Every structure is written in structure tokens, then in C-alpha cells.
Amino acid sequence: MLQNKTFKNILIEQKSLITLLVLIAIVSCLSDNFFTLNNFFNILQQTSINAVIAVGMTLVILTSGIDLSVGSIFALTGAITASMIGADISPFIAIFVSLTLGWLLGAFSGLIIAKGKLQAFIATLVMMLILRGVTQVYTKGSPISTGSNDNSELFEWVAFGRVLGIPVPILIMTLVFIFAWYLLKYTRLGRYIYALGGNEAATRLSGINVDRVKIIVYAISGLLCALASTIEVARLSSAQPTAGTGYEMDAIAAVVLGGTSMSGGRGKIIGTLVGALILGFLNNGLNMLGVDAYYQMIVKGVVILLAVLVDKKTNK
């Protein structure tokens, strides 16, 4: 009886990983080209952008917040990075400026939420609209090319370079997850993030500077959006004014599939990685099977809905 209960608990705790493994097994049986090293590397590279953004979203959701502005921050920082590379500015300077801007924009959202006492949904929705408009004005509604110069060729290493045979985007994604794992597990800020999501009033009464925690968390989210946009701009050699549209939904989906509670205070960063991989493998598998893009949206929606229902049932 005790063994059955333990086995059941393991299944519940590892449901996201089990879902990923079952998905890989099913698609591998249906497509001969799916289970190959090159395809796995391809999936991981494609997943890296959403996964990096999803890390920031996880931190935000753990505080019982939400960040709808991630796609707009992604677009604006990407446009600025592309214009700087196109002007033959060093990629190191361009990336530093982009990351700094992402941090500041995220921190501003956190400031509005913390000091302005606005709901995170409203504050980040407003930021989403404003920043999307700023991006359209900055780009004049047209793509911005990184050009063809020595700096643009160096910048492309972010997307196409390899270290010990491993693509750079995969390494970046891995380092981001290691950073987030360490932050949540071993730092005071990580403990504060969980406490804030569990009970904000009690956390505030215990003497923790709740406002500062919120600002830092949203700042990290903004910085990671800028980092993700750097990868995409390097890959496409341009920045699109509509870039990042819908990315907030993909990031939230990865967090939910990974088992993080939307009410905050409960979840693990490794779950978000698994959730992002589920979406990545699902997209790749459906493409290999020739499923129409419109049907793919339906399938993804159903998978996310089932994940939410299962999570709600198992955590009553």
C-alpha cells in the first residue's frame, strides 16, 4: 500500500517529464526522421528563445504576478540591437545596451506594480501596448537589417557558433536555467520569491522588502527577454517590428506545463525547462507529420488545457 502511494506520488511529481518522454516516444514511432541527434539539436535551438523568456516568466509567476510585456520588450530590444549592429557598432556594446534596456524596462514594470499598486496584469498590459507602439515608431514598421560588415559576422556567432560542438543558443539556455536554479534554491532572493507568492501580506509583515523583490524579478524578466531577442536577431540577421508577438503566451504555456502554480509560491525551474521542451518537441513533431498550422494551434491549446486540469486535480 505504501509502495503504491509512493509510486503514485512520483508519477504526480514527474508528470511533466513523463509527458515529454511519452511525446517523444509517440512521434518517434510516427516519423523516422524525428529521433536523430541533428533534429534534437534543431529542436533545442528553436526552443532556446522561448525557454529563456519562460525563465523570467517563472520568476514572475512564482511571486503571484504575470508579465504580458515580454513580447514587446523582446521586439524593442531586438530592433535596437539590429540597428546598432547595422551601424557597425561592436556586438559587445550592442548586446550590453540591449540587456541594460531590457533590465530597465522590466524594472519599470515592477516599479509600477510595486509602488503604483497596480495589478500585474494591468501594468504589464499597458507596457505591452506602449512598447509595441514605440517599436513600430522606431522601426517605422519595417524590418531592420544587421547589415553586412565585420561586426555583423561576429554577432552571428551568437546564433550559429559552437563550443565543443554544442550550438551557442543551447549553451545560453543551459546557463540561464542553471542561474535561475541556483537563485531559487540557494539565495535569499529565491526564498523571498517563494514567500512572496505564498503570502504577500505575511512576507511584508516579516520585514522583507516586498517592493524591491518585485522590481528585481520583473527586471530579470526584462533582461532575459533582451537576451532571447539577441539570439533571434543574430539568427535572422534582422529585427522585425512584429517580433515577439504571442511570445508571452508561449512563455506562460511553458511555465504552466512545467507545473508552476499560476497563483504563485509553488513550482520548480526545471519544470519550466521540461514545459518549454514539450512545446518544442510538439511543434517539431507536428511539422514533421505535416499537420496544418491551424490544427497545431488547436493541439497545443488542448495540451495546455489538459496540463492545467491535471495540475489542478493533483494539487487539491
Side-chain angles (χ1 to χ4, degrees):
M1 183 70 179
L2 182 60
Q3 289 181 340
N4 290 336
K5 188 175 181 181
T6 302
F7 181 69
K8 182 179 179 182
N9 290 336
I10 292 174
L11 288 178
I12 292 173
E13 290 177 3
Q14 303 299 329
K15 57 184 179 293
S16 297
L17 180 59
I18 293 171
T19 300
L20 175 60
L21 295 176
V22 170
L23 175 64
I24 293 174
I26 292 174
V27 181
S28 296
C29 293
L30 296 175
S31 174
D32 295 333
N33 298 322
F34 180 78
F35 202 81
T36 63
L37 183 60
N38 286 337
N39 188 49
F40 275 31
F41 268 158
N42 180 46
I43 294 171
L44 290 175
Q45 289 185 83
Q46 292 174 349
T47 302
S48 62
I49 293 173
N50 182 39
V52 169
I53 297 174
V55 168
M57 187 67 77
T58 302
L59 300 180
V60 169
I61 290 177
L62 282 173
T63 65
S64 194
I66 195 76
D67 191 353
L68 300 180
S69 66
V70 294
S72 296
I73 294 177
F74 180 96
L76 180 56
T77 54
I80 290 174
T81 301
S83 62
M84 292 182 72
I85 297 296
D88 206 14
I89 295 174
S90 168
F92 300 104
I93 296 175
I95 293 172
F96 176 78
V97 170
S98 176
L99 295 181
T100 302
L101 178 60
W103 173 275
L104 292 174
L105 291 174
F108 185 69
S109 293
L111 186 66
I112 296 173
I113 294 165
K115 301 299 184 181
K117 305 302 179 185
L118 285 180
Q119 290 182 345
F121 179 87
I122 300 300
T124 58
L125 176 63
V126 170
M127 286 294 290
M128 178 184 75
L129 296 173
I130 292 174
L131 295 179
R132 183 62 66 179
V134 171
T135 303
Q136 293 288 350
V137 171
Y138 183 80
T139 62
K140 297 179 181 178
S142 300
I144 298 178
S145 173
T146 57
S148 179
N149 52 59
D150 291 340
N151 281 320
S152 64
E153 292 179 5
L154 178 60
F155 179 65
E156 288 178 359
W157 182 84
V158 175
F160 301 108
R162 286 177 177 256
V163 176
L164 300 176
I166 302 174
V168 171
I170 298 176
L171 289 176
I172 292 174
M173 177 181 69
T174 303
L175 290 174
V176 167
F177 272 93
I178 292 174
F179 157 77
W181 170 78
Y182 183 85
L183 172 70
L184 290 173
K185 191 172 181 65
Y186 294 108
T187 70
R188 186 178 300 175
L189 176 60
R191 293 192 294 273
Y192 291 170
I193 288 172
Y194 278 110
L196 177 56
N199 191 322
E200 180 173 342
T203 304
R204 193 183 296 276
L205 288 172
S206 66
I208 296 173
N209 191 331
V210 169
D211 291 348
R212 183 168 64 182
V213 174
K214 288 183 179 180
I215 292 170
I216 292 174
V217 165
Y218 281 90
I220 293 174
S221 177
L223 182 145
L224 292 178
C225 288
L227 179 59
S229 75
T230 299
I231 298 173
E232 180 157 296
V233 171
R235 182 170 63 87
L236 300 177
S237 297
S238 66
Q240 305 294 325
T242 57
T245 302
Y247 279 20
E248 59 279 347
M249 294 298 104
D250 288 339
I252 293 171
V255 175
V256 171
L257 286 170
T260 296
S261 172
M262 290 297 291
S263 59
R266 182 177 58 80
K268 295 180 180 179
I269 198 67
I270 190 66
T272 297
L273 174 59
V274 175
L277 290 175
I278 289 174
L279 291 175
F281 277 98
L282 184 62
N283 286 332
N284 182 268
L286 292 174
N287 285 330
M288 282 196 162
L289 295 174
V291 178
D292 188 274
Y294 300 120
Y295 289 106
Q296 289 187 30
M297 294 174 65
I298 296 173
V299 172
K300 286 169 62 177
V302 171
V303 169
I304 295 167
L305 176 61
L306 290 175
V308 174
L309 291 175
V310 170
D311 183 69
K312 200 170 185 64
K313 184 177 179 61
T314 55
N315 288 287
K316 282 185 176 180

